[in-house]
Amino acid sequence: MSVKSEMLKLLEANRGLGLSGQEIADRLGVTRAAVWKAVKSLEHEGYKVEAANNRGYQLSVDSDVLSAEGISPGLREKYRDYEIHVCKCVDSTNQEIKRRALEGAPHGLAVLAEEQTAGKGRRGRGFVSPPGTGIYMSVLFRPAPEQSRDVILITTAASVAVCRGIRRVLGEEPEIKWVNDVYLRGKKICGILTEAVSDVESGRIDTVVVGIGINYREPPGGFPEPLRELVGALCPETPSDGGCPPPRNELAAAVLNELFALYDDLPDKTFLTDYRQWSNVLGKEVRFTSPEARPDSSEEWEYGVAVDIDDKGGLIVEKGDGTRQILNTGEITLRVNENKAARRQA
């Protein structure tokens, strides 16, 4: 590990505490000149390093750059051996991790990026990923044979992991729009895309890639106009307490902790209690269609009331004739039918 990386790890682990140049040099076994050079290199990469007489070096409270050195200290002990890679810019973290999987990357690998040029959403949609404002990450899982049957629940579990992480770090109370979107203050702040690759010979699921995109802050100038009414950010531009929100590394670590733990306990399914409790569609009227139907054709839509979520993560919808239908992950398009609900109230 380079001096720069070792120093960053030290500064991240001691946020808010000044470390003298000599103390850092002694801990790392290098010269004061090497410490100064490492500081300049970190500043060049966007880190805000404060240096003052009698206080030493420390990361500024508003320094917020994603890094493996900043995420790893926040991981639970049992997950600290998992590899973390942070890229400045990639086409898509899902694509990047799939490339690494073909090269033999291990279970638990997490890839994060400061920016995506071709972020992926469900059904071929894009995911806007401006630099320095979001948490764009993907995690590689390699299920054992006995885990394969429960892998279908990983997207549901990932939604709960994101909500738990946000609640733990920021104290906010996000909601889940079935099946893979997280909402806060009425706007989408997170999307999740799960992709599985099967072994051709055995037909068993070989790898699962879970991609998570969180809008942490609004980009300069706001989101593009078509998205502005639908998409929001987790942290307001000016916090009510006047302080800075926690660094993105802290939330990334919290979400990874929850995701790894839920993956280990997928068969338990107790996380579905939180999923149901935090759902923003249960009890509401929805419209749905199959992937083959044309969403722009009103004749293709069916209507019903979302009444429950089953133990496989399927949404149970009661239609107007009293019959019930289970909508399974990845097989439908779901939208809250606000216009029809408004007509009914009128």
Side-chain angles (χ1 to χ4, degrees):
M1 191 176 289
S2 68
V3 174
K4 180 185 70 176
S5 181
E6 289 283 5
M7 182 171 179
L8 178 57
K9 188 175 180 180
L10 197 58
L11 291 174
E12 287 283 11
N14 291 274
R15 272 187 178 261
L17 299 175
L19 300 173
S20 71
Q22 188 60 57
E23 182 180 2
I24 295 172
D26 291 342
R27 289 200 193 187
L28 302 185
V30 298
T31 64
R32 289 283 300 273
V35 170
W36 181 85
K37 185 177 180 180
V39 168
K40 294 304 176 184
S41 182
L42 289 173
E43 289 177 337
H44 180 72
E45 293 181 10
Y47 293 91
K48 298 179 181 179
V49 183
E50 297 178 344
N53 292 332
N54 302 321
R55 289 188 303 178
Y57 295 108
Q58 66 179 23
L59 284 178
S60 171
V61 292
D62 61 345
S63 182
D64 187 20
V65 180
L66 290 171
S67 69
E69 295 84 355
I71 295 170
S72 292
L75 294 180
R76 295 169 191 158
E77 188 67 34
K78 63 186 295 186
Y79 305 133
R80 287 186 185 170
D81 288 337
Y82 289 159
E83 293 183 21
I84 298 175
H85 293 277
V86 178
C87 310
K88 192 74 173 177
C89 181
V90 295
D91 51 355
S92 153
T93 56
N94 267 30
Q95 288 299 105
E96 176 64 18
I97 212 164
K98 285 192 286 186
R99 289 190 287 264
R100 293 176 184 244
L102 289 174
E103 298 170 356
H107 173 87
L109 168 68
V111 171
L112 297 90
E114 284 283 3
E115 178 183 9
Q116 296 182 118
T117 58
K120 299 175 64 178
R122 290 184 69 221
R123 302 182 66 186
R125 301 185 185 94
F127 187 90
V128 176
S129 313
T133 61
I135 299 174
Y136 318 121
M137 65 179 175
S138 297
V139 182
L140 175 65
F141 295 104
R142 295 189 179 276
E146 63 273 15
Q147 294 175 304
S148 295
R149 66 180 181 179
D150 295 308
V151 163
I152 192 173
L153 287 169
I154 191 64
T155 302
T156 307
S159 301
V160 173
V162 170
C163 289
R164 286 180 178 177
I166 290 172
R167 286 165 179 258
R168 183 181 301 275
V169 173
L170 293 161
E172 296 282 4
E173 297 187 359
E175 298 176 320
I176 301 169
K177 180 181 177 183
W178 192 90
V179 59
N180 65 336
D181 292 334
V182 177
Y183 276 63
L184 184 66
R185 296 182 285 272
K187 293 187 175 182
K188 177 179 174 178
I189 60 162
C190 171
I192 298 167
L193 175 65
T194 301
E195 300 180 280
V197 179
S198 298
D199 181 85
V200 176
E201 293 183 359
S202 67
R204 183 177 65 83
I205 293 177
D206 181 58
T207 60
V208 176
V209 177
V210 178
I212 298 172
I214 301 174
N215 300 326
Y216 198 71
R217 298 184 187 85
E218 279 200 15
F223 292 103
E225 189 58 47
L227 299 176
R228 204 162 286 183
E229 296 301 315
L230 304 173
V231 174
L234 180 54
C235 298
E237 290 186 13
T238 306
S240 58
D241 60 4
C244 293
R248 288 173 293 156
N249 288 326
E250 187 174 340
L251 179 58
V255 172
L256 287 171
N257 279 330
E258 297 293 345
L259 182 60
F260 290 143
L262 288 174
Y263 178 83
D264 290 342
D265 295 330
L266 273 182
D268 186 61
K269 299 181 182 179
T270 54
F271 66 89
L272 286 170
T273 299
D274 282 347
Y275 190 84
R276 295 184 182 104
Q277 180 181 346
W278 297 334
S279 169
N280 69 355
V281 299
L282 289 183
K284 295 181 181 178
E285 188 170 18
V286 297
R287 60 177 185 169
F288 57 95
T289 184
S290 67
E292 292 77 20
R294 294 172 296 173
D296 60 345
S297 172
S298 60
E299 295 180 356
E300 302 291 351
W301 290 108
E302 292 187 77
Y303 295 88
V305 175
V307 295
D308 202 359
I309 293 166
D310 70 13
D311 286 344
K312 294 182 179 179
L315 186 69
I316 303 174
V317 176
E318 185 173 293
K319 295 190 282 189
D321 61 3
T323 62
R324 292 190 173 190
Q325 182 173 341
I326 299 176
L327 311 181
N328 295 308
T329 304
E331 294 182 0
I332 56 92
T333 297
L334 175 71
R335 297 176 182 174
V336 175
N337 186 27
E338 296 172 347
N339 293 334
K340 192 169 181 180
R343 290 198 301 271
R344 178 175 291 179
Q345 290 175 359

